[in-house]
Amino acid sequence: MSAEDSRAPLSGLRVVELAGLAPSPFAGLLLADYGATVLRVDRSASHDTPSPDFLVRHKKSICLDLKDPRGLLVIKALLKHVDVLIDPYRPGVLENLGLNPVELIAQNVRLVIARLTGFRKDGKYASMAGHDINYLAVSGVLNQLGRKGTPPHPPANILADFAGGGLTCAFGITMALLARERTGRGQIVDSNMVDGSAYLATFPRLATKTPMWDRQRGENLLDGGCPFYDVYECKDGGHMAVGALEPQFFKELLNGLELRDFLSVQHNRDEWPAIQDAFSKRFLQRARKDWEIIFDGKDACCTPVLSYAEMEAADYEQRHAVTLTGTPGLQLDQDMTWESKGMDPGDGGEELLQTWLGWKKGRQYAVIKGTVVHTDGAKI
């Protein structure tokens, strides 16, 4: 372990992540970036069919067939020596594989099992397939998003998969680990993307009972209904984002746009269509770079809408979500923050079998067509 690795806040934490897509790998990525050793359990050992998972930074992989009793024995042995298991499956799948969470914790009382599902486990949708858009839909959040007179519009798969799913799951894991410091015992962390997304939307949900957000979708202060909280196209096709909610910021915005006549009518909703029209026409008169120069250093809450391509070309530095001054996360290779190189199935997994379990190839385990299997010489 390098000096950098040993300083990371989750250094020494052992995590097994059952391979999934998007939310559960993101939870594992958060733990790995802050120093945890994360072992992803892949199903396929074929290098011709690499995992579509991009979120592999700082992780290792082992290939196990959990439907093969020999593969099942390997993961059961691993789970006796790790801190966290991340389960991305629908309710009941883990049990059907022979990995009952209650039994696993009985064999390793310090084990934290994070179970991340899309829908609630006890709701009418529990057994149904779904994706980010579906979880947002039944959480009430999707109905809040979109322009007036148009259907609700999902913000890609950021809210449910990553914020309400992976991030919230990682938060649950962290709380369970903190609780373990007091109790000495692990526990099951149940998280789902419906409740996670709904919790994220606590403020706008409560705001629907106030003048801030009591109108239809696209007619409110923060959802595209307000001219001084919106995005405007520029002459060159670029865009500027405006968020001048407070009077002093609105005044600075009007100064930059040279539209000072609207200062006294900022919160008069009857004037909003006229303000919107005036802003739209004015932004179209200059290129985005010109507006950047005008508003640079000004408290007008007016900024360019940047693309990933131009940020990467400008060597923009991607950083950890949170910087800890005493126990920082692992260094982020900037190349890997812009493009995932993927991870070959089985990369680094055998090393962890030796480190965590003391197993040796040919004695406790064998590798058959890239898949690790238990042999009779292993102690479970």
Side-chain angles (χ1 to χ4, degrees):
M1 180 183 295
S2 69
E4 179 203 16
D5 292 350
S6 64
R7 290 179 62 206
L10 299 182
S11 175
L13 191 74
R14 298 176 176 181
V15 180
V16 169
E17 173 196 310
L18 300 179
L21 290 176
S24 57
F26 186 62
L29 180 72
L30 285 164
L31 302 179
D33 276 347
Y34 285 93
T37 301
V38 178
L39 178 61
R40 188 182 72 187
V41 177
D42 284 305
R43 305 168 198 173
S44 170
S46 173
H47 294 270
D48 297 327
T49 55
S51 169
D53 178 17
F54 301 144
L55 307 177
V56 297
R57 190 170 58 227
H58 298 137
K59 297 182 184 179
K60 299 182 184 300
S61 166
I62 189 171
C63 294
L64 299 176
D65 182 355
L66 299 184
K67 295 182 179 179
D68 183 332
R70 299 172 299 172
L72 192 61
L73 286 172
V74 175
I75 195 169
K76 284 185 174 181
L78 281 168
L79 293 178
K80 290 181 180 180
H81 298 271
V82 304
D83 300 285
V84 178
L85 170 65
I86 299 177
D87 165 26
Y89 302 139
R90 287 198 228 176
V93 172
L94 204 62
E95 288 84 349
N96 291 338
L97 287 171
L99 297 170
N100 187 295
V102 175
E103 295 175 359
L104 294 176
I105 291 178
Q107 295 167 0
N108 176 3
V109 297
R110 293 179 61 80
L111 181 63
V112 171
I113 300 180
R115 313 195 72 177
L116 176 55
T117 60
F119 295 114
R120 287 179 171 179
K121 293 172 65 176
D122 59 349
K124 62 179 290 188
Y125 306 106
S127 63
M128 293 172 55
H131 282 293
D132 182 290
I133 190 171
N134 306 112
Y135 313 138
L136 282 184
V138 301
S139 73
V141 177
L142 183 57
N143 188 59
Q144 298 293 103
L145 307 176
R147 294 287 185 177
K148 177 182 178 181
T150 66
H153 189 76
N157 67 329
I158 298 171
L159 274 183
D161 276 357
F162 296 110
L167 180 61
T168 302
C169 180
F171 176 61
I173 291 170
T174 304
M175 288 193 294
L177 292 172
L178 285 172
R180 193 179 71 174
E181 292 298 306
R182 298 196 316 272
T183 67
R185 302 185 66 85
Q187 59 185 295
I188 297 172
V189 175
D190 271 322
S191 59
N192 68 78
M193 290 168 242
V194 172
D195 289 335
S197 301
Y199 199 92
L200 286 169
T202 297
F203 175 82
R205 182 175 64 254
L206 297 177
T208 61
K209 301 299 177 66
T210 74
M212 175 186 288
W213 218 310
D214 62 354
R215 301 193 180 204
Q216 295 298 310
R217 176 176 58 254
E219 298 181 5
N220 301 284
L221 187 67
L222 302 177
D223 66 356
C226 169
F228 45 90
Y229 198 89
D230 209 341
V231 177
Y232 292 91
E233 185 177 359
C234 305
K235 185 177 182 178
D236 60 345
H239 295 85
M240 296 292 288
V242 171
L245 295 172
E246 293 79 2
Q248 67 273 27
F249 302 149
F250 185 65
K251 180 179 179 180
E252 196 71 52
L253 175 69
L254 295 181
N255 286 337
L257 294 173
E258 298 181 348
L259 292 172
R260 299 176 183 85
D261 291 345
F262 292 113
L263 183 59
S264 64
V265 295
Q266 177 182 8
H267 292 290
N268 183 342
R269 284 180 176 266
D270 292 336
E271 296 291 335
W272 281 8
I275 298 174
Q276 184 97 39
D277 183 64
F279 281 11
S280 296
K281 291 177 179 177
R282 185 54 54 90
F283 274 108
L284 282 171
Q285 292 175 0
R286 296 177 182 267
R288 195 194 76 181
K289 67 177 185 296
D290 297 326
W291 290 118
E292 289 184 60
I293 294 171
I294 289 172
F295 288 109
D296 187 34
K298 303 292 196 308
D299 283 344
C301 300
C302 187
T303 54
V305 178
L306 303 177
S307 71
Y308 286 144
E310 65 181 307
M311 293 170 71
E312 182 179 6
D315 293 325
Y316 180 88
E317 181 187 10
Q318 296 289 351
R319 299 176 180 175
H320 285 290
V322 177
T323 299
L324 302 179
T325 57
T327 56
L330 302 184
Q331 181 177 348
L332 298 184
D333 184 328
Q334 287 302 301
D335 288 341
M336 292 186 67
T337 65
W338 290 108
E339 181 179 3
S340 175
K341 305 300 183 183
M343 178 169 60
D344 289 335
D347 186 9
E350 290 187 58
E351 174 189 336
L352 292 185
L353 284 180
Q354 297 167 20
T355 303
W356 290 355
L357 305 182
W359 284 11
K360 293 184 178 180
K361 187 175 181 179
R363 296 183 62 183
Q364 290 88 359
Y365 75 94
V367 180
I368 300 176
K369 295 182 179 180
T371 301
V372 174
V373 297
H374 165 267
T375 60
D376 293 337
K379 292 183 179 180
I380 301 298

